Amino acid sequence: MRNYLAMLLLVLMNWCGSMLAQPQCTVTHYDEFSGLAQWWVTQILQDKQGMIWISTWNGLNRFDGYEFECFKSQAGDGVDVPSDRIMDMMLMDDGSLRCYVEGRILGFSTKTCKYFEISETEERQLKKKFATAHQREMAFESKGLPNYYKDVYGTEWTIGQQGGLKYKDQATGQYKDYPADWHGADRIRFCLADKEGNAWFTSSYGAFKLSFHKQPYQKLEQVKPVQVRYSFLDKKQRYWITTRDDATIRLFDRKNRELGYLGADGRLHAGYTSFGSPVYHIFQDSKGTIWLCSKPYGLFRLRETADGVFNVEHFVHQDGNSHSLSNNELYYATEDNQGRLWIANFRTGIDCVVNPQAAHPEFIHVNKIDRPTTDGQTRSRQLHITRQNILLAATTTGLLVADISPKDPRQIVFKRHTKDIHRGNSLSNNATMFITEDSKQRIFVCTESGGVNQILSDNLLAPQLEFRHFNTSTGLPSDVALSAVSYHNQLLVVSNNQLILLNPDVTEKTDYKSFFLNEKLRFSDAVPLMLPDGRGLFGLQNGAFTIRKEDVGGNRYIPPMALTALIIENKHKMRGVNTIDTLTLEPSQRSFQLRFAALEYSDASQISYAFRMGEHASWNHIGKDRSATFLDLKPGTYQLQIRSTNCNGLWVDNIRTLTVIVKPTFWETRWAQLLYALLLVMFVWGVLYLRHYIIRMNRRQKELHEAYLALLNNKAEKTVSTPSDASVPSKPQIKPEDEAFMQRAIQFIEEHLGDADINIGDMADATATSRSGLNRKMKSLLGVTPLDFIREARIRKACQMLKDGASVNDVAYSCGFSDPKYFGKCFKADMGMTPKEYKVEYSVK
């Protein structure tokens, strides 16, 4: 089976088949309703970057396969363009255009998308070329000769001046009409064969594009367009094809000759015959017995006789018979290494046939599940048995796993694995469709709308399994995975409308290749089958098709990636951006939007895009969106890469790299960082210096304060008591004028220390300063106000007098206090005790 699957992939990957008998052509009309600036088209060209340029009577149009961009002359652009009516144009060797406008020839840069003047000499030469081309056109039209074109598949086509598309039949050599709608156009003239092989024509009613195709498959002939449910290859190399709606079973031999329709009587009928029961799966066991799973008609056992007739036995559910089928809606059957038959039942779960070859097989309903569903039903779709005899069941409510080694199926308990909202590595979707195993024994689970899940856990019987998800969030083109087959280390996934090749070995980035086969096909649940002659057979919702290697004609064209527009800070739009490879943003430009397109002119409807910022970053898959927006970029150099698929959905090597340089502001440069560091050092040094200065000044004020208080106290002792030997503390050096000021202040205080009516005004007059100047000077030199200094001097004198034994009242009056009680209050506030307590403790004994 693996060899067949390998051949299948070769069929899908080789897109160089031969031509079919019936050619195919799609005619597309472009006019102002399609976005073209004007319906009168004069010329069509393709530049070196792959852009299509169409000249009209209303300006020059650039086409990227999706939309038209019109370029006209603008007031103030410095180029004298007579009008926007372009009569003709030419492509030059340097990639620029020359436009013939109202008798003048102007240059147009495809890089900057702006007009420019050319020399008079060049203009004279080009006028002769334009005239010669016009004369050839007129002569061509006068003879009434048709337009000839030979497509990439070798088919010759001809178009009359009034339309009328014909192709040359290679078998007869005769031209045959091909249906094409030219929208009433006339004056059709061939202009261009683009790099993909599409033919472009101008006319008086717009532009026309002819895209040529080759059908890469052959539809299987069927009486009715109904769903093909299953295809099966038996041990005699016959292949069986079943349909659902009309319940037919067709058999073909290895040489693709139809053997007939299998009837309910077990015979092959030459004419259209219904089997009577839609068959969802066919399985041939190790004994050669063929089993048909039907919905809703139960199970059929077929044993072929010597004359080629099948003995058909029918098994159904019987009410009251516990040994019959649990239900008649059967989806799948497989065999374990003990010869038992396991059946997926879409209503009741799983049945086991312990004696499938017996005349009356015994059916056992295996219904022990650790986590039953809320509705009590387990709808099984498909079964897979590993080499370790572990059964996995794909159901609509999760994945069932169990060890089926026990001989009694009633002892088997299934573990149900479902999507867990609290575990990111749980199953991505509960509706599982198909289970397959590759050559490395890796197991993959296809889901209805959650992509493909790879089981990462080594122990399949673990309470929790870990899964790796392949879905649209990781770049998978679709989340619908109907079935899958293995090819070496890759997986071929059948989606609803495409085939996807998945490589699970890629860890840093997930890469996918998808195939649309150039037509809107809708696949059925049928698993792909490789036929004996090497063709691949695929089931569809309305039939089936086969692919032969030499008949595949898919498009392998790699569309170049073009940049179509750049919008900076949502203000400045640059249209001539396709030729740049480096984008430099100024410090004020931190956000931009880049628009792009893969230049695929045959059919761009299935092209998907991805981008990444950095060569080693993960790709951001954006589907069919053709723009990327970046906001508030930090200064630096970035590598922006953009890629796309081709028209078949196959990722191709067309990566376009744009270097983005974001300039920093001065404050983001290294010089600014150095400046920040220097300012920080200076700030720290300034804080430390200021702190040191304040401490030094406070110490100086304190020392000066103490020195002058001691000086006053020393003078008071000399007048009140006996001379003392105590020396005055040394005071810091101050300015001479400050020293003179303090001498006047000390003299005034000394003379008026006992005067209760002393005031600041008198002291200011004595020191020859103002009241505010006195206050400011004393604060700066001593750190205290004049009144505070006088009060401290009085308290110091009071302490000395109390030590000498003077009474409290005498001390109060001598030190300038008119009230002994107030003196006591002030003394206690400064000394922490009353004058009497101080006298008792410190008086001289």
Side-chain angles (χ1 to χ4, degrees), residues 100 128 162 305 352 384 519 575 725:
Y100 189 80
K128 295 179 180 179
Q162 306 301 323
T305 62
C352 178
H384 178 78
E519 190 176 323
R575 298 187 293 182
D725 295 332

Side-chain angles (χ1 to χ4, degrees), residues 12 15 215-219 482 494-499 515-524 538-547 606:
L12 295 173
W15 299 96
Q215 186 170 284
Y217 57 85
Q218 291 180 325
K219 283 285 188 73
L482 303 177
V494 179
S495 186
N496 58 347
N497 66 337
Q498 60 187 300
L499 304 175
F515 310 88
F516 285 96
L517 306 178
N518 290 335
E519 190 176 323
K520 294 180 179 179
L521 301 177
R522 289 184 173 88
F523 291 91
S524 68
F538 292 84
L540 300 172
Q541 295 292 337
N542 60 349
F545 69 85
T546 59
I547 297 180
Q606 300 299 337

Side-chain angles (χ1 to χ4, degrees), residues 140 168 242 290 357 388 489 680 746 754 759:
F140 180 80
K168 187 176 184 179
T242 74
I290 294 176
Q357 305 302 326
Q388 293 76 29
N489 299 329
L680 179 60
I746 293 298
N759 58 69

Side-chain angles (χ1 to χ4, degrees), residues 31 46 55 149 189 217 228 347 384 387 437 518 555 574 577 613 615 624 707 747 818 836:
D31 57 12
Q46 186 174 29
S55 59
Y149 183 73
R189 180 173 66 90
Y217 57 85
V228 168
R347 287 295 176 188
H384 178 78
R387 298 177 185 179
E437 192 170 350
N518 290 335
N555 190 347
M574 296 174 55
V577 69
M613 190 67 93
E615 295 181 357
K624 294 178 175 56
Q747 182 179 355
S818 59
K836 289 183 179 181

Side-chain angles (χ1 to χ4, degrees), residues 197-209:
N198 302 306
W200 294 79
F201 295 81
T202 63
S203 78
S204 57
Y205 291 95
F208 290 90
K209 178 189 68 180

Side-chain angles (χ1 to χ4, degrees), residues 303-417:
R303 287 174 173 153
E304 190 173 6
T305 62
D307 57 357
V309 177
F310 292 94
N311 180 23
V312 181
E313 299 173 87
H314 191 197
F315 306 97
V316 295
H317 170 70
Q318 300 173 3
D319 293 336
N321 183 358
S322 60
H323 297 296
S324 67
L325 278 169
S326 61
N327 193 274
N328 294 330
E329 296 191 6
L330 308 185
Y331 263 56
Y332 203 86
T334 188
E335 185 182 32
D336 65 13
N337 56 15
Q338 300 180 39
R340 297 176 297 184
L341 191 68
W342 295 83
I343 301 171
N345 197 308
F346 196 66
R347 287 295 176 188
T348 53
I350 300 172
D351 289 340
C352 178
V353 186
V354 295
N355 53 347
Q357 305 302 326
H360 301 286
E362 178 183 0
F363 296 87
I364 298 175
H365 184 212
V366 185
N367 59 0
K368 291 184 179 180
I369 302 174
D370 67 337
R371 286 195 300 158
T373 61
T374 55
D375 59 3
Q377 293 186 343
T378 298
R379 298 175 175 85
S380 298
R381 284 193 176 111
Q382 188 249 351
L383 306 174
H384 178 78
I385 300 176
T386 68
R387 298 177 185 179
Q388 293 76 29
N389 223 28
I390 295 177
L391 175 65
L392 295 93
T395 77
T396 60
T397 54
L399 176 68
L400 300 184
V401 182
D403 182 1
I404 58 174
S405 298
K407 291 186 177 182
D408 185 0
R410 298 177 182 86
Q411 299 177 1
I412 298 173
V413 179
F414 281 90
K415 169 68 179 176
R416 187 189 301 277
H417 300 275

Side-chain angles (χ1 to χ4, degrees), residues 244-493:
R244 185 188 66 179
D245 300 325
D246 59 353
T248 63
I249 303 176
R250 272 199 294 174
L251 272 71
F252 298 82
D253 65 11
R254 62 178 300 118
K255 295 183 179 180
N256 304 310
R257 293 175 297 194
E258 184 176 305
L259 299 177
Y261 288 82
L262 180 64
D265 56 1
R267 297 179 180 275
L268 294 177
H269 301 265
Y272 174 80
T273 304
S274 175
F275 182 72
S277 302
V279 173
Y280 278 52
H281 184 251
I282 304 176
F283 175 73
Q284 190 170 22
D285 63 23
S286 56
K287 303 296 183 181
T289 302
I290 294 176
W291 300 85
L292 309 181
C293 293
S294 174
K295 175 188 176 184
Y297 296 105
L299 183 68
F300 295 87
R301 181 170 65 183
L302 275 61
R303 287 174 173 153
E304 190 173 6
T305 62
D307 57 357
V309 177
F310 292 94
N311 180 23
V312 181
E313 299 173 87
H314 191 197
F315 306 97
V316 295
H317 170 70
Q318 300 173 3
D319 293 336
N321 183 358
S322 60
H323 297 296
S324 67
L325 278 169
S326 61
N327 193 274
N328 294 330
E329 296 191 6
L330 308 185
Y331 263 56
Y332 203 86
T334 188
E335 185 182 32
D336 65 13
N337 56 15
Q338 300 180 39
R340 297 176 297 184
L341 191 68
W342 295 83
I343 301 171
N345 197 308
F346 196 66
R347 287 295 176 188
T348 53
I350 300 172
D351 289 340
C352 178
V353 186
V354 295
N355 53 347
Q357 305 302 326
H360 301 286
E362 178 183 0
F363 296 87
I364 298 175
H365 184 212
V366 185
N367 59 0
K368 291 184 179 180
I369 302 174
D370 67 337
R371 286 195 300 158
T373 61
T374 55
D375 59 3
Q377 293 186 343
T378 298
R379 298 175 175 85
S380 298
R381 284 193 176 111
Q382 188 249 351
L383 306 174
H384 178 78
I385 300 176
T386 68
R387 298 177 185 179
Q388 293 76 29
N389 223 28
I390 295 177
L391 175 65
L392 295 93
T395 77
T396 60
T397 54
L399 176 68
L400 300 184
V401 182
D403 182 1
I404 58 174
S405 298
K407 291 186 177 182
D408 185 0
R410 298 177 182 86
Q411 299 177 1
I412 298 173
V413 179
F414 281 90
K415 169 68 179 176
R416 187 189 301 277
H417 300 275
T418 59
K419 179 181 179 180
D420 189 342
I421 61 174
H422 301 294
R423 279 201 312 127
N425 58 357
S426 66
L427 194 67
S428 66
N429 190 275
N430 292 338
T432 53
M433 298 289 296
F434 194 81
I435 304 165
T436 189
E437 192 170 350
D438 67 3
S439 58
K440 294 184 178 181
Q441 299 184 36
R442 295 177 295 191
I443 298 177
F444 299 88
V445 181
C446 298
T447 68
E448 190 173 58
S449 59
V452 179
N453 290 243
Q454 178 187 352
I455 300 179
L456 300 179
S457 303
D458 295 330
N459 181 14
L460 294 177
L461 302 176
Q464 285 186 342
L465 295 180
E466 293 185 359
F467 297 87
R468 179 187 178 190
H469 304 152
F470 301 94
N471 48 36
T472 51
S473 65
T474 62
L476 196 71
S478 173
D479 282 330
V480 178
L482 303 177
S483 62
V485 291
S486 173
Y487 169 70
H488 294 308
N489 299 329
Q490 300 190 72
L491 205 67
L492 183 65
V493 181

